[in-house]
Amino acid sequence: MVEKAKDALGGYRFPKPDERFGVYQIEALIDEDKSGRVYKAKEDTSGKDICLKVLSSELTRNSSFIDVLRIQMQAAASLNDPGIAELYEIGAVGDIYYVATEWATSGWLSQEIVESGKFTLSDALEVIIKCAETLHSAAEIRIFHGNLRLNCILIFPGRQIKISEIGFAAAVRALYGSNNL
Protein backbone atom coordinates (compact mmCIF):
# COMPACT_ATOMS: atom_id res chain seq x y z
CA MET A 1 0.00 0.00 0.00
CA VAL A 2 1.19 3.50 -0.74
CA GLU A 3 1.67 5.63 2.36
CA LYS A 4 0.24 9.12 2.31
CA ALA A 5 2.65 12.01 2.54
CA LYS A 6 2.88 15.46 1.02
CA ASP A 7 3.88 15.60 -2.66
CA ALA A 8 4.43 18.55 -4.98
CA LEU A 9 2.00 17.11 -7.56
CA GLY A 10 -1.04 17.02 -5.41
CA GLY A 11 -1.03 16.29 -1.73
CA TYR A 12 0.10 12.68 -1.43
CA ARG A 13 3.13 10.60 -2.19
CA PHE A 14 2.97 8.79 -5.49
CA PRO A 15 4.15 5.17 -5.71
CA LYS A 16 7.80 4.52 -6.48
CA PRO A 17 9.41 1.77 -8.58
CA ASP A 18 9.42 -1.62 -6.82
CA GLU A 19 6.43 -0.64 -4.66
CA ARG A 20 3.02 -2.30 -4.70
CA PHE A 21 0.00 -0.21 -5.64
CA GLY A 22 -3.19 -2.22 -5.23
CA VAL A 23 -2.98 -5.18 -7.63
CA TYR A 24 -0.04 -3.61 -9.47
CA GLN A 25 3.70 -3.89 -9.01
CA ILE A 26 5.27 -0.58 -10.04
CA GLU A 27 8.28 -1.20 -12.29
CA ALA A 28 9.31 2.24 -13.57
CA LEU A 29 8.29 5.89 -13.63
CA ILE A 30 7.79 6.80 -17.32
CA ASP A 31 6.42 10.33 -17.36
CA GLU A 32 5.12 13.07 -15.08
CA ASP A 33 2.96 16.11 -15.69
CA LYS A 34 0.46 18.28 -13.86
CA SER A 35 -2.25 15.61 -14.09
CA GLY A 36 -0.20 12.87 -12.42
CA ARG A 37 2.47 10.27 -13.05
CA VAL A 38 2.68 7.46 -15.59
CA TYR A 39 4.28 4.15 -14.68
CA LYS A 40 5.08 0.85 -16.27
CA ALA A 41 3.50 -1.72 -13.95
CA LYS A 42 2.66 -5.40 -13.85
CA GLU A 43 -0.83 -6.62 -12.98
CA ASP A 44 -0.81 -9.43 -10.40
CA THR A 45 -3.38 -11.84 -11.80
CA SER A 46 -2.47 -11.81 -15.49
CA GLY A 47 1.18 -10.81 -15.17
CA LYS A 48 0.46 -8.36 -17.98
CA ASP A 49 2.51 -5.18 -18.41
CA ILE A 50 0.25 -2.14 -18.17
CA CYS A 51 0.49 1.62 -18.33
CA LEU A 52 -0.68 3.02 -15.01
CA LYS A 53 -1.50 6.71 -14.77
CA VAL A 54 -1.81 7.73 -11.11
CA LEU A 55 -3.84 10.93 -10.98
CA SER A 56 -2.89 13.95 -8.91
CA SER A 57 -5.21 14.79 -6.03
CA GLU A 58 -5.54 18.24 -7.61
CA LEU A 59 -7.64 16.59 -10.33
CA THR A 60 -9.53 14.12 -8.19
CA ARG A 61 -10.54 16.42 -5.34
CA ASN A 62 -13.70 17.18 -7.36
CA SER A 63 -15.70 13.95 -7.08
CA SER A 64 -17.44 14.70 -10.39
CA PHE A 65 -14.11 14.43 -12.21
CA ILE A 66 -13.91 10.64 -11.85
CA ASP A 67 -17.53 10.28 -13.05
CA VAL A 68 -16.87 12.43 -16.13
CA LEU A 69 -13.55 10.64 -16.75
CA ARG A 70 -15.27 7.23 -16.65
CA ILE A 71 -17.96 8.36 -19.09
CA GLN A 72 -15.45 9.88 -21.52
CA MET A 73 -12.87 7.07 -21.48
CA GLN A 74 -15.39 4.21 -21.46
CA ALA A 75 -17.22 5.77 -24.40
CA ALA A 76 -13.94 5.93 -26.33
CA ALA A 77 -13.14 2.32 -25.36
CA SER A 78 -16.59 1.19 -26.54
CA LEU A 79 -15.64 2.11 -30.10
CA ASN A 80 -13.37 -0.96 -30.28
CA ASP A 81 -11.22 1.07 -32.65
CA PRO A 82 -7.85 -0.61 -33.29
CA GLY A 83 -6.25 2.82 -32.97
CA ILE A 84 -7.35 3.39 -29.35
CA ALA A 85 -5.23 1.97 -26.54
CA GLU A 86 -7.24 -0.52 -24.52
CA LEU A 87 -8.68 0.77 -21.25
CA TYR A 88 -8.41 -1.86 -18.49
CA GLU A 89 -9.85 0.06 -15.56
CA ILE A 90 -10.34 3.33 -13.77
CA GLY A 91 -9.93 2.65 -10.07
CA ALA A 92 -8.55 3.75 -6.74
CA VAL A 93 -6.24 2.53 -4.02
CA GLY A 94 -7.67 4.28 -0.99
CA ASP A 95 -8.30 7.81 -2.22
CA ILE A 96 -5.58 7.72 -4.89
CA TYR A 97 -7.17 7.31 -8.34
CA TYR A 98 -5.57 5.73 -11.38
CA VAL A 99 -6.22 4.76 -14.99
CA ALA A 100 -4.83 1.41 -16.21
CA THR A 101 -4.37 1.00 -19.96
CA GLU A 102 -2.56 -1.08 -22.52
CA TRP A 103 1.23 -0.97 -22.39
CA ALA A 104 3.05 0.30 -25.53
CA THR A 105 5.04 -2.85 -26.29
CA SER A 106 7.23 -1.11 -28.87
CA GLY A 107 7.34 2.29 -27.18
CA TRP A 108 6.02 5.78 -27.73
CA LEU A 109 6.42 7.97 -30.77
CA SER A 110 8.57 10.40 -28.76
CA GLN A 111 10.87 7.53 -27.79
CA GLU A 112 11.14 6.29 -31.39
CA ILE A 113 12.11 9.72 -32.67
CA VAL A 114 14.78 10.19 -29.99
CA GLU A 115 16.21 6.68 -30.31
CA SER A 116 16.25 6.50 -34.11
CA GLY A 117 17.49 10.06 -34.54
CA LYS A 118 15.32 10.41 -37.64
CA PHE A 119 11.71 10.63 -38.57
CA THR A 120 11.04 10.75 -42.30
CA LEU A 121 8.18 12.48 -44.08
CA SER A 122 6.82 9.03 -44.91
CA ASP A 123 6.92 8.06 -41.20
CA ALA A 124 5.17 11.29 -40.24
CA LEU A 125 2.42 10.85 -42.84
CA GLU A 126 1.80 7.26 -41.70
CA VAL A 127 1.37 8.37 -38.09
CA ILE A 128 -0.74 11.41 -38.99
CA ILE A 129 -3.13 9.36 -41.14
CA LYS A 130 -3.55 6.62 -38.51
CA CYS A 131 -4.11 9.17 -35.74
CA ALA A 132 -6.56 11.18 -37.86
CA GLU A 133 -8.62 8.05 -38.57
CA THR A 134 -8.79 7.19 -34.88
CA LEU A 135 -9.58 10.75 -33.78
CA HIS A 136 -12.31 10.98 -36.44
CA SER A 137 -13.86 7.74 -35.18
CA ALA A 138 -13.94 9.12 -31.62
CA ALA A 139 -15.23 12.53 -32.74
CA GLU A 140 -18.21 10.85 -34.40
CA ILE A 141 -19.50 10.05 -30.89
CA ARG A 142 -18.33 13.42 -29.54
CA ILE A 143 -15.30 12.09 -27.67
CA PHE A 144 -12.17 14.16 -28.10
CA HIS A 145 -8.56 13.84 -27.11
CA GLY A 146 -7.85 17.49 -26.44
CA ASN A 147 -4.16 17.11 -25.57
CA LEU A 148 -2.57 14.86 -28.20
CA ARG A 149 1.19 14.79 -27.84
CA LEU A 150 4.00 12.42 -28.77
CA ASN A 151 3.77 10.53 -25.45
CA CYS A 152 0.12 9.67 -26.20
CA ILE A 153 0.97 7.97 -29.50
CA LEU A 154 1.89 4.36 -28.81
CA ILE A 155 3.70 1.99 -31.13
CA PHE A 156 3.09 -1.75 -31.31
CA PRO A 157 4.65 -4.53 -33.39
CA GLY A 158 4.03 -4.22 -37.11
CA ARG A 159 4.00 -0.39 -36.78
CA GLN A 160 0.49 -0.46 -35.33
CA ILE A 161 -0.23 3.00 -33.94
CA LYS A 162 -2.62 3.59 -31.01
CA ILE A 163 -3.63 6.70 -29.12
CA SER A 164 -3.88 6.72 -25.33
CA GLU A 165 -5.86 9.00 -23.04
CA ILE A 166 -8.74 9.69 -25.43
CA GLY A 167 -11.36 11.41 -23.29
CA PHE A 168 -8.94 12.24 -20.46
CA ALA A 169 -8.23 15.85 -21.41
CA ALA A 170 -11.91 16.43 -22.17
CA ALA A 171 -12.81 15.35 -18.63
CA VAL A 172 -10.21 17.72 -17.18
CA ARG A 173 -11.39 20.62 -19.30
CA ALA A 174 -15.07 19.94 -18.59
CA LEU A 175 -14.53 20.45 -14.88
CA TYR A 176 -11.46 22.66 -14.52
CA GLY A 177 -11.11 24.67 -17.72
CA SER A 178 -8.43 24.56 -20.38
CA ASN A 179 -5.32 25.58 -18.42
CA ASN A 180 -5.06 22.62 -16.08
CA LEU A 181 -3.10 20.04 -18.10
Side-chain angles (χ1 to χ4, degrees):
M1 181 63 86
V2 177
E3 86 181 51
K4 292 191 71 167
K6 203 70 171 153
D7 186 276
L9 272 180
Y12 51 72
R13 188 176 73 73
F14 285 82
K16 292 188 165 107
D18 298 321
E19 285 185 346
R20 303 230 16 95
F21 184 76
V23 299
Y24 302 102
Q25 177 67 37
I26 304 296
E27 294 185 354
L29 175 64
I30 303 301
D31 195 17
E32 177 177 349
D33 64 20
K34 205 171 166 183
S35 65
R37 294 186 180 161
V38 177
Y39 300 91
K40 178 180 183 184
K42 192 168 291 288
E43 198 271 331
D44 284 345
T45 309
S46 67
K48 185 184 290 192
D49 288 334
I50 60 115
C51 181
L52 188 72
K53 181 164 190 147
V54 177
L55 306 176
S56 74
S57 63
E58 183 179 338
L59 283 182
T60 61
R61 78 175 116 206
N62 180 337
S63 60
S64 297
F65 173 75
I66 295 299
D67 296 333
V68 173
L69 180 66
R70 275 192 207 327
I71 290 165
Q72 291 284 315
M73 293 190 80
Q74 288 173 344
S78 74
L79 288 171
N80 285 328
D81 186 298
I84 297 175
E86 187 176 349
L87 172 65
Y88 297 135
E89 73 171 325
I90 298 170
V93 173
D95 61 352
I96 303 173
Y97 287 88
Y98 63 87
V99 177
T101 59
E102 185 173 18
W103 177 253
T105 55
S106 296
W108 291 263
L109 185 58
S110 58
Q111 181 182 6
E112 180 177 296
I113 292 169
V114 169
E115 289 177 1
S116 72
K118 62 180 176 144
F119 196 65
T120 67
L121 178 58
S122 175
D123 293 335
L125 290 173
E126 175 189 14
V127 170
I128 290 167
I129 290 167
K130 288 177 179 179
C131 288
E133 290 170 349
T134 298
L135 293 171
H136 180 264
S137 170
E140 286 182 325
I141 64 165
R142 305 205 38 81
I143 300 293
F144 305 98
H145 194 286
N147 192 28
L148 188 61
R149 57 203 185 283
L150 296 178
N151 284 349
C152 291
I153 301 172
L154 314 180
I155 302 171
F156 292 83
R159 296 278 309 153
Q160 182 182 10
I161 303 293
K162 294 187 180 189
I163 300 174
S164 68
E165 297 188 8
I166 292 181
F168 184 85
V172 173
R173 286 190 173 97
L175 292 168
Y176 298 105
S178 62
N179 295 326
N180 283 295
L181 282 181

